[in-house]
Amino acid sequence: MSLPASLAGRLKLPVIAAPMFLTSGPELVIACSNAGIVGTFPALNQRTSAGVDEWLTTIRAGLKADAAPFGVNLIVHKTNPRVAADLALCVKHRVPMVITSLGAAAEVVDAVHGYGGVVFHDVTTARHAKKAAEAGVDGLILVASGAGGHAGTLSPFSLMAEVREFFDKTVLLAGCISTGGDVAAALMMGADLAYMGTRFIATTESMASDINKQMLVDAGASDILYTPAISSIGTNFLRQSIVAAGLDPDKLAAPAGVDLSHITEPYNKEPGKPESKAWRDIWSAGQGVASIHDVLPAAMLVERLGAEFNARVAAFGSVAKQYAA
Ligand SMILES: Cc1cc2nc3c(=O)[nH]c(=O)nc-3n(C[C@H](O)[C@H](O)[C@H](O)COP(=O)(O)O)c2cc1C
């Protein structure tokens, strides 16, 4: 178990606020990193690479001297024509952490290592984890079942156990981590860092609409539908947002095949129905909604996570004593 040197001692809590399409931008990144956890955003949240350049300048200007590092998410896939340009901007701005999704490429790792940055790659299976390890990534993000976004289907226990058999660098755990107690539990399971998405949608600084935030606060775990129908690969969505878009969550058509252009193309084009876009109008969230009951500034959330983390660790200390030989 380990952290890269560039992160060790720089975090108040072992937490990364995960990149979220249409949700995380500079305001959230700055608030998280200034509060002592890693703030991140997906490069595709800006319509152009020039926009990413602007955001990186804004973030650098907004970070305090003792801020935690920040990160950028790159979707490394043939359908994303911007990978090279966005990677060049990460190099230009010396982005401390690059998070790759879908493809793990040795070229990306080399470019980021060239200026001293680290690359973490997200995976849902041990097979993909092995491929990413071979590409030389510094850390693996294990996206388990119930996570927001393109979730995995495996239990975090089995995924962690399989990956730890061959990977001894940094491991991050993702999926339904919503409280500081959950963060402590992730570390107990063998993770070095907790990767939290859905919880950060319900912050003042997230770019999600107020209706989206309230829907998430009101939702329970059974309001989350895992389906490939909307985003072409298995994704968790809030049922209520599918209904609000005029669709029946229990009668969604199967996707024709994997097609990630939905990030730019409208999904529901049925005549007479309002045009709804996956992610923009049909909102992703993970089963971690079960323990999210309020919207608050990110700095307050981080403070609360810290208190919950300490309480869980202390409580565990007395459990451990009971069973110590
Ligand atoms: C609304 C939303 C948008 C997301 N967009 C992205 C994205 O653009 N890139 C990415 O790598 N992961 C994306 N994810 C996945 C998160 O980065 C992270 O893996 C996940 O949210 C962790 O699970 P949790 O939501 O249960 O905490 C998204 C998740 C959500 C909820």
Side-chain angles (χ1 to χ4, degrees):
M1 288 175 68
S2 62
L3 280 188
S6 60
L7 289 185
R10 305 251 340 252
L11 305 179
K12 287 207 178 107
L13 267 183
V15 171
I16 293 187
M20 291 183 286
F21 189 49
L22 307 185
T23 304
S24 21
E27 222 192 315
L28 185 59
V29 172
I30 292 169
C32 288
S33 293
N34 281 341
I37 65 164
V38 179
T40 67
F41 74 91
L44 290 176
N45 272 356
Q46 268 285 12
R47 305 299 291 174
T48 61
S49 293
V52 175
D53 199 6
E54 274 171 36
W55 273 11
L56 288 171
T57 305
T58 304
I59 289 169
R60 282 278 181 212
L63 293 181
K64 294 194 264 177
D66 64 346
F70 68 95
V72 170
N73 170 228
L74 300 178
I75 307 281
V76 182
H77 192 262
K78 57 183 186 307
T79 55
N80 177 12
R82 283 202 5 221
V83 183
D86 290 346
L87 175 62
L89 289 168
C90 292
V91 175
K92 175 184 162 191
H93 290 269
R94 304 171 76 86
V95 171
M97 180 185 298
V98 170
I99 294 168
T100 53
S101 302
L102 298 176
E107 305 85 78
V108 175
V109 174
D110 289 345
V112 175
H113 283 177
Y115 63 86
V118 295
V119 179
F120 289 167
H121 181 71
D122 69 13
V123 295
T124 53
T125 64
R127 189 171 68 84
H128 286 122
K130 272 196 184 127
K131 277 173 99 177
E134 281 161 16
V137 300
D138 305 285
L140 290 170
I141 303 161
L142 312 187
V143 185
S145 64
H150 296 149
T153 53
L154 294 176
S155 149
F157 287 97
S158 57
L159 189 54
M160 179 66 74
E162 267 190 313
V163 170
R164 274 303 189 197
E165 281 186 10
F166 61 86
F167 191 76
D168 62 1
K169 295 191 203 169
T170 306
V171 169
L172 297 83
L173 186 62
C176 311
I177 300 176
S178 292
T179 68
D182 299 342
V183 174
L187 267 58
M188 284 297 299
M189 284 176 61
D192 298 293
L193 295 165
Y195 196 71
M196 300 173 65
T198 300
R199 175 58 265 202
F200 281 88
I201 299 175
T203 56
T204 323
E205 294 89 348
S206 98
M207 302 190 300
S209 68
D210 289 344
I211 305 174
N212 182 351
K213 292 177 191 176
Q214 191 57 46
M215 194 180 276
L216 190 148
V217 165
D218 293 340
S222 54
D223 293 315
I224 304 301
L225 178 70
Y226 183 74
T227 177
I230 289 164
S231 191
S232 87
I233 48 180
T235 307
N236 277 314
F237 286 102
L238 279 162
R239 275 177 170 273
Q240 288 83 338
S241 69
I242 299 174
V243 173
L247 299 167
D248 182 343
D250 298 313
K251 289 186 188 146
L252 295 170
V258 174
D259 175 9
L260 295 167
S261 62
H262 63 276
I263 289 171
T264 48
E265 298 274 328
Y267 162 65
N268 173 11
K269 287 180 179 163
E270 287 174 63
K273 288 209 170 159
E275 204 176 68
S276 300
K277 262 192 174 180
W279 305 92
R280 190 195 65 187
D281 307 307
I282 301 177
W283 297 318
S284 178
Q287 292 171 10
V289 291
S291 39
I292 302 174
H293 305 303
D294 56 1
V295 178
L296 72 177
M300 283 175 67
L301 173 59
V302 173
E303 207 170 302
R304 183 196 288 169
L305 292 174
E308 291 168 343
F309 178 82
N310 291 335
R312 181 64 65 89
V313 170
F316 190 79
S318 47
V319 174
K321 263 189 214 145
Q322 277 179 49
Y323 295 101

